[in-house]
Amino acid sequence: MAGNYNFEESTMWQKAHEITLNVYKATKTFPEDEIASLTALIRKTSVKIASKIAKGYGKRRINDKVNLFNEAQDAIAECRYYVTLSKDLGYFTEEQADELSKELLLNQKMVSAYLESLIRNHSNNY
């Protein structure tokens, strides 16, 4: 888990990037009056998931890695809320919301498993 690991090889980052692309595609049909609010929020948050994972791979100190992967978890939860809100406002179809929610839950499980592994491996080394 060296600090120079190529994050693009990680299935966890790849899934986060896929989510970002899907969010951008799905929000193209949002009302124009949402561009500066909900559209921007959900897009920014989806980007934050992948960027926190990428930054986490670049860190050498375990505490820095854990903090960034925790921030990725926070962004996933935030994005899940925006998906629910978008569905409830009628901007996402049930199918779109379900698909994005499934992708986000899978990514959340991946990040959780990686975090647990980081912490377990770190505590076993001392």
Side-chain angles (χ1 to χ4, degrees):
M1 296 195 199
N4 62 355
Y5 183 80
N6 184 357
F7 67 86
E8 289 131 328
E9 295 174 1
S10 159
T11 56
M12 179 174 46
W13 178 85
Q14 291 168 1
K15 174 51 76 179
H17 182 65
E18 179 184 333
I19 289 167
T20 301
L21 295 175
N22 290 339
V23 163
Y24 268 76
K25 288 176 194 166
T27 56
K28 281 185 178 187
T29 60
F30 277 24
E32 203 168 300
D33 63 337
E34 288 290 357
I35 288 177
S37 54
L38 186 55
T39 305
L41 287 170
I42 193 169
R43 286 178 174 184
K44 180 179 178 182
T45 304
S46 70
V47 168
K48 192 185 304 184
I49 298 166
S51 68
K52 294 296 180 180
I53 291 169
K55 285 175 70 174
Y57 275 116
K59 297 297 179 181
R60 295 187 85 56
R61 291 184 45 231
I62 186 72
N63 290 344
D64 294 337
K65 284 185 173 291
V66 168
N67 287 339
L68 285 162
F69 285 103
N70 277 326
E71 289 176 25
Q73 288 282 57
D74 292 345
I76 292 169
E78 187 177 347
C79 198
R80 287 180 60 203
Y81 169 68
Y82 294 143
V83 168
T84 300
L85 178 60
S86 298
K87 180 190 71 166
D88 291 348
L89 291 170
Y91 302 153
F92 281 157
T93 65
E94 191 81 33
E95 185 179 311
Q96 285 174 309
D98 287 348
E99 186 59 34
L100 281 171
S101 292
K102 285 178 190 173
E103 290 178 7
L104 286 160
L105 283 172
L106 175 59
N107 204 211
Q108 187 172 35
K109 289 176 184 177
M110 296 167 105
V111 174
S112 290
Y114 186 76
L115 265 169
E116 289 172 16
S117 172
L118 274 176
I119 293 166
R120 183 177 51 252
N121 289 339
H122 181 71
S123 63
N124 287 341
N125 291 328
Y126 295 98

